[in-house]
Amino acid sequence: MDEAHHIAADFADGAAGARLRYHIVTYGCQMNVFDSRRIGQSLRLAGYEETADPVMADVILLNTCSVRDKPEKKVLATLARLRPLKEARPGTVLGVCGCVGQQHGQALLDRVPYLDLVFGPDRVVEAAALVEAARGGARLADVARQSRGDHAFAPVDPEAEPGPTAFLTVMKGCDKVCSYCIVPYVRGREVSKPVALVLDEVRRLVEGGVREVTLLGQNVNAYGKDLACGADFADLLAAIDAVPGLLRLRFVTSHPADADERMLSCFGRLRTVAPYLHLPVQAGSDRVLDRMRRGYTAAEYLDKIAIARRHCPDVALSTDVIVGYPGETREDFEATLRVVEAARYDTMFSFKYSPRPHTAAARLEDDVPEAEKADRLREVQSLQDRIGAERLARFLGRVEEVLVEGPSRAARTRGAGAQWSGRTATNHVVNFAARPGEPPAPGDLVRVRITDVLAHCLAGEPCDGAGGE
Ligand code: 5AD
Ligand code: SF4
C-alpha cells in the first residue's frame, strides 16, 4: 500500500470525536506562522480543537507561500497527497489559504476538484465563517482584500501563544515595487495596525507570560504612513518599549531605503530593542539593484549598516540575497560577494531567482542558466558560512543574557540531560545545562558563560547571578 492509501485507510478508521478538529500546515514566512495562529484562534472560538494529525482532522488548511516557485509547487504536491484522505471522508473540508490562495483564487478551485475552500491572507478574521460555509457544502474562493483605512486586524489571543516569545503583525502589504516580488500583488497595499491596538496586544501578551515580541511587516519602516495620527515606526518602537514586563523587542523586515537614522538609532537608545537587524540587500551590483528597483546603491546600503553599528557595535545582522536575476553577469555577482564580505552578516538567507507571475521581472528573459544560479548560490553560501562562523566566534568566553525558551532539542528528542535552550539578545541560540536543583523556567533571563561555539549555535553554562533580570 502506498503512503497515500495508507493515510486514507487510517483516516477511514479514525474515530470521529464530539468536537470537530482542525489541522493547519504552514509554509513560508513568519507572517504566515502568525496568520495560522489567528486562523486557529478563530476556529477554536467556533468550537473546533486542534489536532497534530491530518488523518484525524475534519478541516485541513494549507497556509501557503508564493514568494518563490518552490514553495508553491510544494502546496500542489501536498494537495495531491491529501487527496485519498479527502476521498475517504468527503465531509472533510480541505482548504488553501495564504498567498497561493490569494494569487489563484477561483482558478485553484477549478483546477483541484477535491478542494473545498480558498481564501487569502486578508480573510483570516473570517476563517471560521468560511470553514463553516464550506462544511455546509459550498465550494468557495474568497480573496477579497482589506481596503486601506480598514484597520480591522484579527486580535491576538495571548493564551494561544505558547512560550515566552510571540509574533505580532503590525502592518501588512507592501507599496514597494521590487521588480521580482509577488508580495505587493498577493498581500496588497500597506495597512498599519493602529498604535493603540498594537500596544493593547503587547500588554496582553506580556500579561500572558510573553517576554519577547517580534513585530512583523513586509516593510516595517513604512509603518504609520497610512495612519492619521502621524506616528512612524520609531514612534511605535518607543511606545512599545515603555510596556512594563517586556524584555525584548524585535522586528522584521526593514527596507534599506526607508531605514533612517531615527529608526537605526533605536538599537542603542531603547531598553527592549534587541540588537538584531534583518536588512535584505538582495544584490551587490548597482546595476542589478537599479533593475530590481530597490531604491539604493551598494554604498548607500553599507552606510545604513555603518549607522546601525555606530549606535550599537554588537548588532547582529542578517540579510536576503537573490542570485541569478535576469541579466546578472559574473561581475555583478562578484559585487554581491563583495557586499557580503563587507557587511559581515551573522546570517544570510539566499535564493535562486525564480520568475513570478504579475511581476515586472517576469517580462525579462530568465537568462542565467540554472547550473550557474546553483553555482552562485553555493559560492555566496560558502562565503557566508565562513563569515558566520567568524562572527559566532566572538561570543566565546562572553557572558550573555539568555532568554530561556524551553528544553533544548536534544533534551526533547533524546531525553538527554537537563539541556535548556534560549537565545541571546542578538538572536543566537544557546544551549546550556542548568545547575542541579535550579531548573530555569521559560521566560527567565539567565546569565550564561559561552564555553563552546558550534556550527550554528552556542553552548555554555550558567554563571553567578543566574536567573536575574
Ligand atoms: N525569486 C527569488 N527570491 C525571491 N525573493 C522574493 N522574490 C523572489 C523571487 N522572485 C526573496 C527575497 C526576499 C525573500 C523573502 O525572498 O530575497 O527578501
Ligand atoms: Fe517584496 Fe520589495 Fe515589498 Fe520586500 S519590499 S515585500 S521584496 S516588494
Side-chain angles (χ1 to χ4, degrees):
M1 190 157 46
D2 65 20
E3 188 200 358
H5 286 94
H6 188 72
I7 291 178
D10 278 0
F11 184 67
D13 293 344
R19 289 177 72 184
L20 295 167
R21 300 185 180 121
Y22 70 89
H23 178 80
I24 305 177
V25 185
T26 307
Y27 302 85
C29 65
Q30 289 157 329
M31 200 166 289
N32 268 10
V33 174
F34 179 81
D35 284 349
S36 287
R37 292 204 188 141
R38 303 288 79 72
I39 293 166
Q41 178 181 324
S42 162
L43 290 170
R44 283 193 304 280
L45 280 173
Y48 291 75
E49 64 184 8
E50 187 170 12
T51 170
D53 183 359
V55 170
M56 303 301 289
D58 303 281
V59 179
I60 303 173
L61 296 176
L62 308 183
N63 192 8
T64 58
C65 170
S66 59
V67 77
R68 285 173 299 278
D69 188 39
K70 225 163 140 191
E72 191 178 330
K73 287 222 172 85
K74 243 197 237 166
V75 172
L76 294 173
T78 307
L79 279 175
R81 250 201 353 264
L82 291 170
R83 180 178 193 158
L85 199 151
K86 164 76 184 172
E87 285 172 352
R89 214 163 92 184
T92 308
V93 170
L94 184 58
V96 169
C97 53
C99 292
V100 175
Q102 184 73 38
Q103 186 190 340
H104 296 292
Q106 180 65 39
L108 194 60
L109 274 190
D110 296 343
R111 176 168 172 191
V112 184
Y114 50 93
L115 189 62
D116 303 292
L117 175 63
V118 173
F119 62 95
D122 280 5
R123 300 267 62 86
V124 162
V125 207
E126 271 107 321
L130 291 167
V131 165
E132 284 294 302
R135 280 196 356 100
R139 287 188 82 220
L140 72 161
D142 185 347
V143 292
R145 280 229 177 87
Q146 179 169 5
S147 61
R148 250 203 164 155
D150 169 6
H151 297 293
F153 282 78
V156 299
D157 170 11
E159 280 170 27
E161 297 305 322
T165 62
F167 293 131
L168 185 55
T169 294
V170 294
M171 62 161 303
K172 52 192 186 189
C174 182
D175 287 2
K176 297 274 179 211
V177 287
C178 303
S179 61
Y180 50 83
C181 185
I182 197 174
V183 166
Y185 178 77
V186 287
R187 293 264 174 179
R189 300 289 307 271
E190 288 163 0
V191 182
S192 306
K193 192 183 282 193
V195 179
L197 248 172
V198 175
L199 279 177
D200 185 48
E201 295 192 326
V202 171
R203 280 191 205 105
R204 286 193 295 126
L205 285 168
V206 170
E207 276 162 24
V210 166
R211 293 289 167 263
E212 174 183 304
V213 172
T214 301
L215 308 179
L216 303 177
Q218 255 81 37
N219 172 14
V220 287
N221 303 115
Y223 176 86
K225 280 187 186 158
D226 58 316
L227 293 175
C229 67
D232 68 4
F233 188 60
D235 296 323
L236 181 73
L237 289 176
I240 298 175
D241 189 61
V243 173
L246 181 70
L247 298 182
R248 282 181 186 165
L249 185 55
R250 303 186 192 280
F251 49 86
V252 280
T253 293
S254 302
H255 192 292
D258 296 344
D260 55 9
E261 176 125 22
R262 212 168 105 71
M263 192 285 274
L264 293 168
S265 68
C266 69
F267 293 109
R269 202 162 37 84
L270 299 176
R271 171 188 69 94
T272 56
V273 173
Y276 170 81
L277 176 64
H278 182 60
L279 201 64
V281 69
Q282 311 298 2
S285 147
D286 289 345
R287 193 182 72 97
V288 173
L289 285 170
D290 182 53
R291 296 174 66 232
M292 286 178 163
R293 303 188 196 154
R294 289 290 288 175
Y296 53 83
T297 61
E300 283 163 352
Y301 174 88
L302 289 171
D303 256 3
K304 306 275 171 155
I305 286 187
I307 295 172
R309 287 210 162 109
R310 203 167 62 235
H311 288 280
C312 179
D314 198 40
V315 67
L317 289 173
S318 69
T319 199
D320 293 344
V321 164
I322 297 176
V323 300
Y325 184 77
E328 185 189 69
T329 61
R330 175 73 208 173
E331 211 182 346
D332 290 323
F333 171 65
E334 282 172 7
T336 298
L337 294 176
R338 282 197 298 277
V339 167
V340 169
E341 184 81 62
R344 299 198 55 76
Y345 297 112
D346 290 70
T347 38
M348 179 185 75
F349 304 90
S350 49
F351 313 100
K352 289 186 275 188
Y353 168 74
S354 80
R356 305 308 292 133
H358 312 289
T359 62
R363 291 193 293 272
L364 306 173
E365 193 193 342
D366 183 16
D367 57 357
V368 179
E370 182 57 31
E372 182 63 32
K373 284 183 189 169
D375 279 351
R376 291 181 191 178
L377 192 70
R378 265 194 301 274
E379 201 172 336
V380 73
Q381 281 172 345
S382 76
L383 170 63
Q384 178 53 36
D385 282 351
R386 170 176 63 74
I387 295 169
E390 287 166 9
R391 293 282 293 154
L392 209 53
R394 76 189 190 278
F395 288 99
L396 193 64
R398 265 166 58 165
V399 173
E400 288 291 312
E401 288 201 319
V402 174
L403 183 72
V404 179
E405 291 179 11
S408 68
R409 194 179 296 174
R412 284 200 312 272
T413 55
R414 286 179 259 124
Q419 285 284 322
W420 295 86
S421 187
R423 281 174 195 265
T424 61
T426 48
N427 210 27
H428 291 92
V429 172
V430 179
N431 294 324
F432 64 98
R435 290 183 173 152
E438 291 179 37
D444 282 354
L445 264 191
V446 176
R447 285 163 56 79
V448 175
R449 184 176 305 284
I450 307 300
T451 52
D452 265 313
V453 176
L454 307 166
H456 294 285
C457 70
L458 303 165
E461 51 201 32
C463 57
D464 283 335
E469 285 189 4

